[in-house]
């Protein structure tokens, strides 16, 4: 069985105790769907301009002006721009070998992640969960990782939601796996505009639920946001002789294959492209055996 794309993590401190006590799925922590956009703090307009300037400089090919990039991020951070905090922390996490201006600095990375948490940014909780999981600059702690991951999911982080969904659906012993519980996390994550989380949701429906049309629905959603994996799956699904990894059981469709081949080539040339009308202009055909949705064959999937 293929593994989820986002690496699973240990949430034993909050969940495994239920399993060890023999509790049923009814004892799992209650999850109420929340969207990240509803919990993110507002961004200062002037800080956003500095952030965008830093991003543009990062995308410049060849030698980058890291000193100016860091300076712009720091100016934005002074106005609590949490996206700048996240990006600068990422630079401090890895550093840029051989280039002056941004060196690896775990202490500065932790300070920025901590500041994001204090601002109650969902992504900040997710970041802290990941570093606690791996012991990156802090004492490795499954309890801390699980606590922050659940808080991130409750605040709407789609990355945290799919991490927990993958745990319930793929990482538990087979007799403890709970696709019903996992689905609540994946459906919430798949309704947000995170291509990475949407791809994870598609994989859940493809692998765990065997619901091919709903899986392709999410791959198409990811494709509309410019995700290369989403476009590749759609292209392969309608090929005359699809590769096994792209065989969703659809009939070959030369027109759709040509459409997604065109989008695939466009994304190769410019990965900043988005296709916001894709799902409206090109609704997916019914699957030969599962209809529009394996659970509701006559009804198209909805978020």
């Amino acid at each position: 069985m293929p593994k989820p794309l986002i690496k699973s993590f240990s949430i034993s401190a909050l969940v495994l105790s239920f399993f060890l006590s023999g509790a049923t799925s009814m004892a799992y922590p209650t999850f109420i769907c929340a969207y990240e956009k509803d919990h993110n703090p507002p961004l200062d307009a002037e800080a956003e301009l500095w952030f965008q300037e830093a991003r543009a400089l990062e995308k410049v090919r060849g030698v980058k002006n890291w000193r100016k990039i860091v300076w712009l991020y720091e100016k934005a951070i002074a106005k609590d721009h949490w996206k700048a905090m996240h990006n600068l922390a990422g630079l401090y996490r890895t550093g840029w070998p051989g280039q002056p201006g941004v060196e690896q600095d775990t202490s500065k990375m932790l300070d920025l992640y901590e500041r994001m948490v204090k601002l109650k940014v969902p992504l900040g909780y997710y970041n802290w969960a990941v570093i606690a999981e791996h012991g990156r600059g802090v004492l490795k702690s499954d309890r801390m990782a699980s606590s922050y991951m659940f808080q991130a999911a409750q605040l709407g982080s789609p990355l945290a939601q799919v991490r927990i969904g993958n745990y319930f659906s793929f990482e538990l012993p087979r007799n403890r796996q709970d696709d019903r519980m996992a689905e609540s996390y994946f459906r919430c994550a798949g309704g947000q505009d995170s291509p990475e989380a949407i791809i994870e949701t598609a994989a859940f429906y493809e692998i765990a639920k065997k619901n091919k049309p709903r899986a392709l629905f999410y791959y198409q959603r990811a494709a509309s946001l410019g995700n290369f994996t989403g476009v590749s799956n759609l292209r392969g699904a309608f090929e005359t002789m699809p590769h096994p990894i792209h065989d969703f059981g659809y009939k070959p469709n030369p027109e759709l294959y040509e459409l997604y081949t065109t989008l695939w080539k466009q994304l190769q040339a410019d990965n900043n492209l988005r296709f916001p009308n894709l799902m409206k202009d090109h609704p997916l055909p019914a699957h030969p055996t599962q209809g529009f949705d394996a659970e509701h064959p006559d009804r198209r999937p909805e978020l």
Side-chain angles (χ1 to χ4, degrees):
M1 177 181 291
K3 294 182 179 179
L5 299 177
I6 293 181
K7 181 185 175 184
S8 182
F9 74 110
S10 172
I11 55 174
S12 58
L14 293 184
V15 178
L16 189 55
S17 59
F18 292 112
F19 305 146
L20 295 177
S21 65
T24 66
S25 61
M26 295 298 290
Y28 293 160
T30 301
F31 174 66
I32 300 174
C33 181
Y35 281 9
E36 189 173 45
K37 64 181 177 63
D38 297 325
H39 291 273
N40 285 329
L43 298 172
D44 177 86
E46 187 175 32
E48 176 66 10
L49 292 176
W50 295 328
F51 172 77
Q52 292 298 338
E53 186 178 353
R55 291 290 296 124
L57 289 173
E58 277 194 278
K59 294 178 181 179
V60 171
R61 293 186 177 183
V63 178
K64 305 177 193 299
N65 188 345
W66 287 113
R67 286 194 175 94
K68 186 172 183 180
I69 291 168
V70 171
W71 176 72
L72 287 165
Y73 277 146
E74 287 176 341
K75 286 183 68 176
I77 288 167
K79 291 196 171 190
D80 286 339
H81 196 292
W82 56 268
K83 290 185 179 180
M85 296 176 197
H86 174 73
N87 284 18
L88 186 54
L91 293 177
Y92 285 136
R93 186 179 68 249
T94 60
W96 196 266
Q99 296 292 334
V102 55
E103 289 75 32
Q104 188 176 41
D105 193 322
T106 300
S107 178
K108 288 182 179 180
M109 175 195 75
L110 294 176
D111 288 344
L112 289 167
Y113 285 161
E114 184 177 11
R115 189 164 173 180
M116 291 176 72
V117 169
K118 287 181 178 178
L119 290 171
K120 299 189 181 302
V121 179
L123 183 57
Y125 285 88
Y126 174 80
N127 289 337
W128 201 266
V130 173
I131 64 171
E133 174 196 358
H134 296 290
R136 185 69 182 269
V138 297
L139 183 66
K140 179 177 169 61
S141 169
D142 288 344
R143 180 175 294 276
M144 182 186 293
S146 59
S147 176
Y148 276 93
M149 195 65 75
F150 271 108
Q151 289 180 76
Q154 296 284 3
L155 287 172
S157 166
L159 297 179
Q161 289 164 359
V162 297
R163 288 284 289 271
I164 296 172
N166 279 331
Y167 181 85
F168 280 119
S169 189
F170 297 105
E171 298 300 319
L172 291 171
R174 189 172 295 275
N175 66 334
R176 292 288 192 179
Q177 289 175 2
D178 190 334
D179 288 342
R180 180 193 62 80
M181 190 69 178
E183 187 171 21
S184 64
Y185 285 93
F186 281 114
R187 285 290 296 272
C188 190
Q192 302 192 60
D193 291 337
S194 166
E196 186 177 13
I198 296 169
I199 288 295
E200 290 290 308
T201 303
F204 165 74
Y205 279 103
E206 179 184 358
I207 299 167
K209 300 288 283 185
K210 312 297 184 188
N211 189 334
K212 305 300 183 179
R214 183 169 277 274
L216 215 62
F217 165 80
Y218 282 106
Y219 283 127
Q220 190 183 42
R221 229 191 134 233
S224 72
L225 294 171
N227 181 269
F228 197 80
T229 300
V231 173
S232 295
N233 275 282
L234 287 155
R235 178 174 179 255
F238 298 110
E239 196 170 6
T240 301
M241 297 184 65
H243 295 288
I245 193 172
H246 293 144
D247 189 354
F248 291 83
Y250 282 84
K251 294 179 180 178
N253 188 315
E255 290 184 5
L256 289 178
Y257 174 73
E258 182 61 31
L259 166 68
Y260 290 111
T261 296
T262 299
L263 299 186
W264 185 77
K265 291 178 179 178
Q266 290 176 351
L267 278 177
Q268 279 191 318
D270 182 2
N271 59 14
N272 292 314
L273 288 177
R274 302 293 180 267
F275 312 105
N277 297 322
L278 179 62
M279 300 183 78
K280 178 182 177 181
D281 293 345
H282 302 281
L284 293 169
H287 188 276
T289 59
Q290 296 185 344
F292 293 113
D293 185 334
E295 296 181 8
H296 307 283
D298 297 327
R299 193 168 70 214
R300 291 186 180 278
E302 296 178 352
L303 297 177

